[in-house]
Amino acid sequence: MKSDLCLLCPVELKGIYRSFSAPQGTVIALNDISATLPPSGIVGLLGPNGSGKTTLMRIIMGILPPERGEVWYQGRPLTQKERCRFGYMPEERGLYPKMTAKAQLLYLLRLKGLSSTHARQEIRRWAEILEMPWLDRPARALSKGMQQKVQLTLALAGDSPVLLLDEPFSGLDPVVSAEIEALLRDKAKNGALIILSTHRLEQVDHLCDYILLIHRGHLRLTGETSALRRQFWRRVYEVETAQPLDTLTLPEGTRVELINPMRAYVSLPESLSTGAFLEALIQQTDIRFFAEKLPTIRDIFLQSVGEA
């Protein structure tokens, strides 16, 4: 019998290793990747181009075998039958050009295990949600954004417990991107685990609950987004004063990055307490605003990759 802990941690990566042959020799794409993903929520899979993100998604989906290691699901090795229930949106948007989008969705959803009736219901449902009145057109007549919606429908249909989305926002306009974000948040809130690869780091700040950062085949960083932002915080505050900051005498060691004459980011040295800094300011001017300035995911990403 599976333990409650296994059920709460549905996807586990256990020592995943994969390499490829290249003209310059063997390239290690993934080197001993081990992580236990949260039971639900949105996981941001981050890394520079060529870091191994797509390879990891393909291994989870069984498209590529690992040379070493295993993917576990709910406490045991992931089976192909279970993978068929996962939703997957690959980076390559491969639709048959002469076949209508609706016919392709019906065919592929049947391969996914849905009955013909259920597949048609899902196509109608997502056609309404994603505003796709053009599904009877052949794929070659669709724009990149339209084809993107078709691929996304294939991943989302069938209420998959796990979704793997490789750059799902590529080619979408801001309005549609916002709608997809809301949809993914709703699915995660209702218990789905979504593994999302994206280059839009500004999205990760407000969209992802958890992060896996891969660089040069190694897992460089993993954890909850909020905890990582706190971990990488370097005593930076945002402050606004009634008088221009360049007219004030600040405690020794304080570094200032002006936003405007009265507002700035200030970095405090370890030797200076927050209370002592505020007391020095209050003696010279009124303080209109003061708060911690936590790093963005972009800040954390650049710092982590730069340290490699």
Side-chain angles (χ1 to χ4, degrees):
M1 181 180 293
K2 287 177 265 201
S3 69
D4 291 341
L5 180 61
C6 291
L7 294 173
L8 289 174
C9 302
V11 176
E12 299 173 84
L13 308 174
K14 295 178 174 284
I16 302 295
Y17 179 93
R18 176 73 199 206
S19 64
F20 296 96
S21 297
Q24 65 271 30
T26 301
V27 175
I28 300 175
L30 297 169
N31 194 347
D32 193 27
I33 302 296
S34 296
T36 298
L37 303 188
S40 63
I42 303 177
V43 176
L45 181 57
L46 310 180
N49 288 335
S51 61
K53 305 186 299 298
T54 295
T55 299
L56 181 58
M57 282 194 168
R58 289 173 176 170
I59 286 174
I60 294 173
M61 288 304 301
I63 298 168
L64 285 175
E67 292 172 63
R68 294 198 299 270
E70 290 183 304
V71 180
W72 279 34
Y73 182 63
Q74 294 186 341
R76 53 184 171 74
L78 177 61
T79 66
Q80 191 57 39
K81 183 177 180 180
E82 289 166 332
R83 285 187 171 101
C84 287
R85 296 184 58 222
F86 289 8
Y88 177 49
M89 182 177 182
E91 186 178 22
E92 301 82 7
R93 313 305 186 212
L95 296 177
Y96 300 107
K98 296 181 181 180
M99 195 174 182
T100 68
K102 182 181 290 185
Q104 294 189 63
L105 282 173
L106 180 60
Y107 172 70
L108 293 169
L109 288 175
R110 295 284 284 118
L111 288 180
K112 194 175 177 179
L114 277 66
S115 69
S116 180
T117 299
H118 190 191
R120 292 179 190 279
Q121 290 173 344
E122 286 291 272
I123 292 169
R124 287 194 295 270
R125 172 191 174 199
W126 290 106
E128 181 177 349
I129 293 172
L130 297 177
E131 299 181 358
M132 300 184 295
W134 32 258
L135 286 180
D136 288 318
R137 299 181 194 175
R140 65 186 176 190
L142 303 180
S143 69
K144 181 179 179 181
M146 290 175 176
Q147 293 190 42
Q148 186 93 335
K149 286 186 177 183
V150 175
Q151 294 274 16
L152 191 56
T153 297
L154 180 60
L156 294 171
D159 295 321
S160 302
V162 179
L163 296 174
L164 294 93
L165 309 178
D166 202 345
E167 297 293 341
F169 299 101
S170 174
L172 298 181
D173 63 53
V175 174
V176 177
S177 290
E179 292 172 350
I180 299 302
E181 284 188 14
L183 189 154
L184 295 180
R185 285 194 204 96
D186 185 63
K187 290 191 74 67
K189 184 178 179 181
N190 285 297
L193 172 63
I194 301 169
I195 303 172
L196 170 71
S197 173
T198 178
H199 283 98
R200 299 186 181 183
L201 296 180
E202 68 280 0
Q203 283 183 315
V204 178
D205 279 301
H206 63 265
L207 185 59
C208 296
D209 311 295
Y210 198 90
I211 288 171
L212 292 179
L213 173 57
I214 299 176
H215 184 43
R216 295 177 180 170
H218 292 272
L219 184 60
R220 295 282 298 166
L221 203 62
T222 179
E224 293 183 358
T225 306
S226 57
L228 290 174
R229 294 184 72 189
R230 172 62 58 185
Q231 176 185 329
F232 279 79
W233 181 60
R234 296 294 182 263
R235 305 196 75 222
V236 179
Y237 298 86
E238 186 173 349
V239 61
E240 182 176 331
T241 55
Q243 301 296 325
L245 280 147
D246 61 6
T247 67
L248 306 178
T249 301
L250 301 180
E252 185 177 354
T254 303
R255 298 196 306 274
V256 178
E257 179 186 342
L258 288 175
I259 301 171
N260 61 47
M262 261 75 80
R263 199 174 186 99
Y265 299 130
V266 295
S267 301
L268 305 187
E270 293 292 337
S271 58
L272 180 64
S273 69
T274 305
F277 174 76
L278 291 174
E279 184 177 353
L281 283 188
I282 290 171
Q283 292 176 0
Q284 303 174 70
T285 184
D286 291 335
I287 299 175
R288 294 174 175 171
F289 179 85
F290 186 79
E292 293 177 343
K293 172 65 170 64
L294 294 175
T296 65
I297 297 303
R298 179 179 294 277
D299 296 332
I300 295 171
F301 176 90
L302 293 175
Q303 183 175 336
S304 298
V305 170
E307 291 173 351

